Amino acid sequence: MRNPSLDFHPADVLPLGELTLLWREVYANYPVPLPFTEDELERFISMSGIDLGLSLVAVVDGVPIGLCLAAAEVADSWVGGFGVVDAYRRTGIGLALMRRQCDALDARGVAHTRLEVMPSNRARRLYATAGFADRRRLVSFNSPALGLGADPLVVLPPTQLPALHRRLHIGVSAPPWQRTEENVMRAVLRDKLTVLAWRSDLGVSAYAVEQNSGGVSRLIDAAAESAHAAEALIASLAARVRGRRLCLGDEPAASPIAQAMRRFGAAPRTHRFEMMRLGEKPKKTLSFHHAPHTAVFQGHVG
């Protein structure tokens, strides 16, 4: 009996509809539901800086069965979606796909690649085998906003956000890939989001990018230079939204913002590990558009 062939192709060879169906299959049993529509996936790709020409799909006998969505900006890169459909899990295809993606990122000369994984996800072991190591813990909040008197927040023009982002997202507050300066600015400009700042006597010491929808104040980004500034910002946001829920995703667990959320009674709803892989110097130039990799699949690739 013939062994099925395993190929890797750039993700942009698939029409958006087929890519969406593959995404749904890959994430069918994921703990957090991600049933994207075509429009939602297109938005996610655009807002996350995903490069479909760099990203990969794994194909067995002409049928797409695995997906890795990747982005690269200068020396920084990230994986924004990864998985293999259920029937092909625990066969080695996932590891082969991730290794192939890492080769492509190395060929770009990136210094490091980041991704996130839930603690119970078996893929965490796969990522470690591919060279990723735990870097820190990220937490997400979705809690009632509890706050009384607070200082009024100042609305800033979006042009001031890049400098603030670079100044306040340092150390333990370094942003996850979802909240890089470029990704936050994409969201602000596309959705016309509000940039709110808390001022101390010395100037702006904390800020948040707010999106209101469905009774939830969703913070697309937030950062503070100190514990005091973070508490003042959260208190002011709570007073502003008047009982609506405050939602903040992928916040570094040790940051002043995360600590302030906890002090206001917000318990993290989800925990994820941010993992990082350091880039390697490419041994040769890879070109997926002209020479896709083909292998014979024999049950265990890696």
Side-chain angles (χ1 to χ4, degrees):
M1 181 178 176
R2 181 183 68 85
N3 288 314
S5 63
L6 170 65
D7 304 327
F8 299 105
H9 300 287
D12 62 1
V13 303
L14 292 182
L16 180 61
E18 293 183 27
L19 195 64
T20 303
L21 291 175
L22 179 58
W23 173 280
R24 291 179 184 173
E25 285 191 78
V26 162
Y27 282 99
N29 300 316
Y30 196 63
V32 179
L34 295 169
F36 281 173
T37 65
E38 288 187 29
D39 288 345
E40 289 169 339
L41 182 60
E42 184 177 39
R43 175 184 170 81
F44 172 76
I45 290 169
S46 173
M47 302 298 276
S48 302
I50 298 297
D51 182 347
L52 291 181
L54 175 65
S55 304
L56 294 176
V57 292
V59 179
V60 170
D61 284 348
V63 178
I65 54 87
L67 173 68
C68 189
L69 297 183
E73 292 182 348
V74 192
D76 189 19
S77 65
W78 53 88
V79 172
F82 176 85
V84 174
V85 300
D86 187 64
Y88 288 91
R89 291 174 187 167
R90 294 174 291 280
T91 64
I93 289 180
L95 180 58
L97 173 60
M98 180 56 76
R99 283 175 167 164
R100 189 67 175 177
Q101 186 69 75
C102 289
D103 287 345
L105 293 168
D106 288 344
R108 284 283 186 97
V110 300
H112 49 72
T113 302
R114 293 179 287 167
L115 53 77
E116 292 83 41
V117 60
M118 300 187 77
S120 60
N121 193 332
R122 292 181 178 179
R124 188 178 174 196
R125 181 180 297 178
L126 180 155
Y127 300 147
T129 303
F132 289 84
D134 290 346
R135 182 191 183 205
R136 58 182 176 176
R137 198 161 47 90
L138 303 175
V139 293
S140 296
F141 299 92
N142 183 359
S143 302
L146 302 175
L148 299 174
D151 298 326
L153 297 175
V154 179
V155 177
L156 297 180
T159 53
Q160 294 187 23
L161 181 56
L164 272 178
H165 189 283
R166 290 191 291 270
R167 178 166 66 84
L168 298 181
H169 272 301
I170 59 173
V172 295
S173 296
W177 68 259
Q178 295 91 336
R179 289 159 53 190
T180 64
E181 178 186 329
E182 295 81 2
N183 285 343
V184 172
M185 286 303 298
R186 287 188 189 102
V188 169
L189 297 177
R190 176 167 173 166
D191 295 336
K192 297 180 173 56
L193 302 182
T194 303
V195 182
L196 299 168
W198 180 80
R199 292 184 184 273
S200 67
D201 293 338
L202 300 178
V204 175
S205 299
Y207 78 88
V209 177
E210 184 185 45
Q211 180 182 53
N212 286 311
S213 63
V216 175
S217 177
R218 188 176 303 278
L219 305 182
I220 303 303
D221 188 35
E225 66 181 11
S226 66
H228 172 69
E231 287 191 16
L233 175 70
I234 299 304
S236 298
L237 286 167
R240 173 185 171 89
V241 301
R242 297 181 181 179
R244 292 199 304 269
R245 301 181 74 84
L246 277 177
C247 178
L248 174 65
D250 297 305
E251 179 66 22
S255 76
I257 293 291
Q259 294 175 26
M261 292 288 285
R262 291 189 186 95
R263 280 193 286 271
F264 275 82
R269 292 299 180 92
T270 60
H271 297 256
R272 296 202 293 174
F273 284 102
E274 181 182 66
M275 303 184 74
M276 177 180 287
R277 175 187 178 272
L278 299 180
E280 299 179 2
K281 293 183 179 179
K283 298 178 181 179
K284 60 181 179 179
T285 300
L286 299 176
S287 177
F288 294 113
H289 287 283
H290 301 293
H293 170 78
T294 302
V296 174
F297 172 50
Q298 297 179 317
H300 289 272
V301 180

